[in-house]
Amino acid sequence: MVIPVHDVNPARRTPWVTYGLIAANIVVFLFMPWSGRGLVQLCDMQAFLDHYAAVPRELIHHQLPRLVPTGDVGVGAQGPGCVVAPPGYDKSPELSVLTAMFLHGGWLHLLGNMLFLLIFGNNIEDRMGHVRFALFYGVCGLAATYGFALLNADSGEPLIGASGAIAGVLGAYLVLYPKARVWVLVPFLVFLPLRLPAWIVLGFWFALQAVYSSGEGVSDAGTVAYAAHIVGFVAGMLLAWPLRPGTPPPPEPRGLLFGRRARPRHTW
């Protein structure tokens, strides 16, 4: 997997919505129940996710569980475990799609998503405008979540993360700025810096999601919602397509595609 670090595609205005989304994701992550150890943290996190995460079975069939973890630890006939009881809250499956978009399973999950949003989100917001970009982000996240739920309608596993919405941003970037150059780090003995066209970087990313969603080449295909990435990406492409005719091309950098000479030259 190549790691993007910067794109050569300056925006005309400050991407306040992109910054706000990044800040909101970080703040929500910090307030998630990470305290405790072992079974205590596990039970607390399960109770939190059952309340705020999107669950395919709930979205498609509206089958809310009769018993959910309370966050407490108890000892039963089979030993220690999480205490379950009827939910003490009213959960809206539709609203959980929104709250799940701000939840992440760990620092790497959060930082990876925010890196992609920071690099590619500013130009999409610049092209769409603040309000339309916010709506676009939400629609892509909605499409990704429901798309995954339709493919896994009987699953009771919680679905969390901003990946589906951010995949929509990547799809829009591929449509609007396919020739923009993107600095990436490619792991080859060491991290080799390269400057590649966006269509290669994002096309490779999409191809990996398609391969992983089939269960090939990855051991945790059941824990990562790769199908949601694919649906979000395609939704972003479709929504951005009408904006192609009026989109100004990115600057064409000069120099080689790798090393220091790949930096764009400036004329005065």
Side-chain angles (χ1 to χ4, degrees):
M1 181 62 184
V2 297
I3 304 173
V5 293
H6 178 63
D7 67 333
V8 187
N9 192 8
R12 298 168 299 173
R13 46 189 166 185
T14 304
W16 293 117
V17 174
T18 298
Y19 291 160
L21 288 170
I22 293 173
N25 276 277
I26 293 175
V27 169
V28 171
F29 181 82
L30 294 176
F31 278 92
M32 290 180 67
W34 300 109
S35 60
R37 294 182 179 180
L39 187 59
V40 173
Q41 181 183 353
L42 175 64
C43 295
D44 204 14
M45 184 62 74
Q46 284 186 352
F48 181 84
L49 294 181
D50 278 337
H51 190 177
Y52 295 105
V55 179
R57 186 167 55 208
E58 297 174 2
L59 293 175
I60 304 303
H61 302 301
H62 284 266
Q63 295 178 352
L64 297 177
R66 293 179 299 173
L67 299 175
V68 296
T70 64
D72 298 323
V73 177
V75 179
Q78 299 180 351
C82 299
V83 176
V84 295
Y89 52 82
D90 292 325
K91 180 179 181 180
S92 168
E94 293 76 17
L95 184 59
S96 70
V97 176
L98 175 62
T99 56
M101 290 169 56
F102 293 90
L103 306 179
H104 290 83
W107 277 109
L108 288 179
H109 188 199
L110 173 70
L111 294 178
N113 277 343
M114 295 305 101
L115 175 64
F116 276 82
L117 179 57
L118 179 64
I119 294 174
F120 300 105
N122 62 336
N123 293 108
I124 305 305
E125 181 177 351
D126 187 44
R127 180 66 182 90
M128 293 183 174
H130 304 308
V131 176
R132 283 201 298 175
F133 175 72
L135 293 174
F136 165 83
Y137 184 90
V139 169
C140 287
L142 185 73
T145 301
Y146 271 98
F148 179 83
L150 286 171
L151 296 173
N152 301 270
D154 296 324
S155 174
E157 295 296 323
L159 181 64
I160 61 173
S163 305
I166 295 173
V169 173
L170 303 186
Y173 198 99
L174 178 61
V175 167
L176 300 178
Y177 305 105
K179 296 182 179 180
R181 299 290 180 172
V182 180
W183 278 99
V184 299
L185 297 178
V186 179
F188 184 76
L189 299 180
V190 295
F191 283 102
L192 181 66
L194 297 176
R195 193 188 64 202
L196 302 174
W199 68 267
I200 292 181
V201 177
L202 299 179
F204 180 65
W205 181 90
F206 182 77
L208 281 180
Q209 308 310 302
V211 172
Y212 290 164
S213 67
S214 68
E216 298 293 334
V218 62
S219 60
D220 62 345
T223 62
V224 179
Y226 293 109
H229 301 173
I230 294 174
V231 175
F233 192 91
V234 173
M237 292 182 66
L238 294 175
L239 291 172
W241 197 267
L243 299 177
R244 276 174 56 89
T247 302
E252 182 64 32
R254 303 173 183 177
L256 302 176
L257 293 180
F258 58 90
R260 294 183 179 179
R261 291 180 60 189
R263 296 174 182 173
R265 301 173 185 174
H266 300 277
T267 57
W268 300 91

